[in-house]
Amino acid sequence: MPHYTGPLLTRPLAEALLAARDAGHGQWAGSLDLGRSTGTATLAADHWQWQGRPYPYPGKTRDRTLYYWDGEEFLAISRFGSALIKLVPTDWDAPTFEIDGIKMLPSAQVSPFEDARRKVALIAPAGKTVLDTCGGLGYFAACCLEGGVSRIQSYEKNPDVLWLRTLNPWSPDPDAASSGGRLSLTQADVSQAIESLETASVDAILHDPPRFGIAGELYSQVFYDQLARVIRKGGRMFHYTGAPNKLTSGRDVPREVAKRLEKAGFKAELALDGVLAVKR
């Protein structure tokens, strides 16, 4: 699916454009692609122009919402299918996303992209073939490309999340020249798709599943056995677990995960907000 290249607006950006017009300024300078680049908009009384195309001033906008131009109006980047999925701006340029109001990527203390970069560094992707089990917005994949990965196979089950990726300038485009043909993105349930992968066919794995209550199959011994099958001996895997409240859940999910991975044939230890495992 082609990636969107038009302007992205937030409430502060929309207000800044209107304030500049009302102050009599003929131009406004800034970023309309979440900090990926900067440019200048030309301001007229009833419209503004960006990269040679005219746009109307947006109407009422909401906080914590991103808007894109659909050819007729600015619409919120959200969809309601089996759940409400929404791209959400952060203080760090790179957005996060929510499913039914639950934030899927950390953004309170660090950029979600920088968070992904730290986790990807644990598997040292340079020159490797990497399996990315739950692609999400593609930040793991982007950091692997940045880190010199040889090839990365990414899976994402949710079509609405894949749609968010096409509107997010921080999400890598498999067809872009910058990807160099190294990224493959497949819409599929990795718990089933992994069965078709060859044994010992990847050098490293990034596993960032939804929380246990949503996708328990991605924390199962059966799935971990499959991860152990497809990764080569000595290969590294980072498994995101988060830090669920043990007092309310009654469970220590990171340590449960580490034990299952040990049983599958990994040496596992807690790292960052997950588990780092090495295939024995």
Side-chain angles (χ1 to χ4, degrees):
M1 188 181 297
H3 277 224
Y4 174 75
T5 58
L8 295 172
L9 294 180
T10 59
R11 183 174 186 175
L13 283 174
E15 291 175 346
L17 287 169
L18 288 167
R21 180 201 65 179
D22 294 345
H25 300 307
Q27 293 184 330
W28 173 88
S31 177
L32 292 175
D33 61 359
L34 302 180
R36 301 296 279 175
S37 67
T38 58
T40 301
T42 302
L43 309 178
D46 59 351
H47 72 278
W48 55 284
Q49 189 164 301
W50 180 260
Q51 296 181 345
R53 294 190 60 182
Y55 299 96
Y57 290 97
K60 186 177 180 180
T61 53
R62 300 189 300 271
D63 289 331
R64 301 183 64 258
T65 304
L66 281 163
Y67 297 86
Y68 77 105
W69 178 251
D70 78 336
E72 296 183 1
E73 60 182 325
F74 282 100
L75 297 178
I77 304 179
S78 63
R79 274 186 176 179
F80 187 80
S82 57
L84 176 61
I85 292 183
K86 177 181 179 182
L87 199 64
V88 180
T90 71
D91 294 334
W92 315 94
D93 291 332
T96 183
F97 72 111
E98 293 179 351
I99 297 180
D100 283 341
I102 298 173
K103 188 169 63 175
M104 305 305 290
L105 298 173
S107 63
Q109 303 297 326
V110 66
S111 159
F113 197 89
E114 182 59 34
D115 179 73
R117 186 179 280 132
R118 292 189 304 184
K119 293 168 181 174
V120 167
L122 293 175
I123 67 157
K128 294 180 179 178
T129 296
V130 176
L131 169 63
D132 177 26
T133 62
C134 305
L137 293 183
Y139 293 169
F140 275 174
C143 293
C144 282
L145 293 170
E146 175 185 273
V149 73
S150 175
R151 182 175 180 275
I152 178 166
Q153 173 63 61
S154 184
Y155 293 95
E156 174 51 51
K157 179 180 178 180
N158 193 315
D160 292 331
V161 174
L162 292 174
W163 175 71
L164 292 185
R165 287 177 70 133
T166 67
L167 294 168
N168 179 13
W170 288 84
S171 296
D173 180 355
D175 297 325
S178 57
S179 296
R182 294 176 293 156
L183 170 60
S184 295
L185 176 59
T186 302
Q187 182 185 344
D189 182 342
V190 71
S191 68
Q192 300 171 14
I194 196 169
E195 296 177 5
S196 65
L197 298 184
E198 295 183 6
T199 298
S201 59
V202 302
D203 302 306
I205 298 172
L206 292 162
H207 186 39
D208 186 9
R211 57 185 178 156
F212 182 86
I214 296 176
E217 69 278 5
L218 297 180
Y219 296 79
S220 70
Q221 192 65 56
V222 170
F223 185 67
Y224 291 165
D225 289 345
Q226 286 285 1
L227 293 176
R229 180 185 65 81
V230 302
I231 194 171
R232 297 186 179 100
K233 184 177 180 179
R236 292 186 172 196
M237 175 175 69
F238 177 75
H239 183 323
Y240 170 76
T241 62
N245 192 318
K246 287 185 285 185
L247 294 178
T248 56
S249 69
R251 306 182 65 176
D252 189 338
V253 173
R255 294 199 180 277
E256 287 182 23
V257 164
K259 287 181 180 179
R260 290 196 194 104
L261 291 175
E262 291 273 358
K263 185 177 180 181
F266 291 93
K267 180 180 178 182
E269 63 183 50
L270 303 187
L272 299 178
D273 50 3
V275 177
L276 178 64
V278 179
K279 176 66 182 300
R280 294 196 296 265

